[in-house]
């Protein structure tokens, strides 16, 4: 992110990370969605952040069934989401690239954000089972983007399935009333971790450009709506990760700062 939030003299890659890590305890790294992570980069991230700082790392696109450019694939491996052998090899390389963060105690979770065309059913159950097999022993959080996963008649089964696989369910905040809208639920499927991703409330979700989909500046009242939900999550899970994905300009860090302020005001003893 290149924005006015970072002070002059701390706008290179290292300066931005150190400045950010001095103000927040958590960051979501999404570069790993677009290209497989490298060990040396993960090691550098760990070296440049203080003890206790946590990275939630987004899974590589092929691992979640998204279209993937052949140019970012390892040599001789096709970008084929139907081939379990290819996916096993890609997972092995992804895990190798992230391992320095886990070794350093800096890995919060691996975010598997599945595409909006993956709806509940036998095929999705098989995909989740294979994902659980590959990622056994790793902390995995799952975000579904098809609304059917969290409709009243399906939600309990969704929670049961994720809990059986030891996966954290990701709740979301987004604009309501759209065909692609997911409700602001806060399911807890793992006692270790609860996650909420704030996508912004743009009505262009599911259509338009990336900037149009994620352009939203949260108001204090919009964030305050989440305080009771966050309190409830903290009573059910050891840790709660709140991640802001309204990534135009400095909107995400401004919203994160505001949320930190609201949480401290809501619980002045913490």
């Amino acid at each position: 992110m290149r924005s006015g939030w970072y002070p002059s003299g701390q706008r290179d890659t290292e300066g931005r990370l150190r400045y950010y890590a001095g103000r927040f305890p958590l960051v979501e790294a999404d570069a790993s969605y677009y290209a497989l992570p490298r060990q040396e980069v993960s090691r550098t991230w760990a070296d440049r952040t203080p003890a206790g700082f946590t990275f939630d790392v987004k899974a590589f696109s092929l691992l979640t069934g998204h279209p993937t450019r052949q140019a970012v694939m390892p040599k001789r491996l096709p970008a084929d989401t139907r081939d379990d052998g290819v996916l096993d090899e890609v997972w092995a390389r992804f895990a190798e690239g992230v391992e320095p963060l886990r070794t350093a105690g800096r890995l919060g979770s691996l975010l598997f954000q599945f595409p909006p065309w993956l709806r509940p059913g036998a095929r999705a159950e098989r995909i989740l089972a294979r994902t659980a097999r590959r990622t056994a022993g790793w902390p995995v959080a799952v975000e579904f983007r098809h609304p059917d996963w969290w409709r009243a008649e399906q939600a309990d089964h969704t929670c049961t399935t994720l809990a059986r696989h030891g996966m954290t369910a990701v709740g979301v905040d987004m604009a309501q009333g759209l065909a692609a809208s997911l409700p602001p639920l806060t399911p807890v499927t793992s006692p270790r971790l609860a996650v909420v991703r704030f996508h912004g409330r743009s009505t262009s979700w599911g259509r338009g450009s990336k900037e149009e989909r994620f352009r939203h500046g949260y108001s204090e009242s919009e964030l305050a709506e989440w305080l009771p939900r966050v309190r409830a999550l903290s009573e059910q899970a050891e840790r709660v990760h709140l991640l802001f994905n309204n990534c135009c300009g400095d909107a995400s860090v401004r919203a994160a700062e505001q949320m930190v302020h609201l949480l401290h005001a809501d619980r002045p003893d913490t």
Side-chain angles (χ1 to χ4, degrees), residues 190-255:
S190 167
R192 185 189 66 84
L193 177 67
V195 178
V196 180
R197 298 181 80 226
F198 291 78
H199 291 305
R201 298 186 179 183
S202 169
T203 56
S204 294
W205 186 263
R207 57 189 176 84
S209 68
K210 182 176 180 180
E211 284 196 356
E212 289 170 335
R213 295 196 304 273
F214 293 102
R215 182 181 291 113
H216 179 77
Y218 277 99
S219 68
E220 181 173 320
S221 61
E222 288 172 337
L223 296 177
E225 292 173 16
W226 277 87
L227 294 179
R229 299 169 187 152
V230 173
R231 282 199 302 271
L233 288 174
S234 68
E235 293 168 358
Q236 300 173 72
E238 295 173 16
R239 294 193 175 193
V240 179
H241 288 183
L242 307 180
L243 300 160
F244 287 86
N245 195 33
N246 53 325
C247 51
C248 288
D250 62 0
S252 59
V253 285
R254 298 296 183 190

Side-chain angles (χ1 to χ4, degrees), residues 175-197:
Q176 297 298 296
L178 308 175
S181 294
L182 279 77
L185 301 178
T186 53
V188 176
T189 58
S190 167
R192 185 189 66 84
L193 177 67
V195 178
V196 180
R197 298 181 80 226

Side-chain angles (χ1 to χ4, degrees), residues 166-183:
M167 296 171 170
T168 292
V170 176
V172 301
D173 178 86
M174 62 181 298
Q176 297 298 296
L178 308 175
S181 294
L182 279 77

Side-chain angles (χ1 to χ4, degrees), residues 68-90:
T68 302
R69 294 183 300 115
Q70 186 62 49
V72 301
M73 289 290 293
K75 290 181 180 179
R76 297 183 297 280
L77 283 182
D80 188 353
T81 61
R82 299 164 299 175
D83 188 320
D84 268 0
V86 169
L87 291 173
D88 287 346
E89 176 65 21
V90 168

Side-chain angles (χ1 to χ4, degrees), residues 2 26-27 36 39 43 49 83 89 94 97 104 106 110 115 141 144 160-161 175 177 211 225 235 254 259 262:
R2 298 186 182 277
L26 168 70
V27 72
L36 285 168
Q39 279 193 332
R43 193 172 294 113
T49 50
D83 188 320
E89 176 65 21
F94 181 90
R106 303 296 173 79
L110 302 178
F144 295 116
T160 299
T161 301
E211 284 196 356
E225 292 173 16
E235 293 168 358
R254 298 296 183 190
M259 179 61 92
L262 289 170

Side-chain angles (χ1 to χ4, degrees), residues 113-141:
Q113 184 189 55
F114 287 101
W117 53 85
L118 185 71
R119 63 176 66 216
R123 176 175 173 269
E125 296 276 352
R126 290 193 297 271
I127 289 172
L128 285 173
R130 288 197 294 264
T131 300
R133 172 183 60 78
R134 286 189 193 98
T135 61
W138 289 78
V140 171

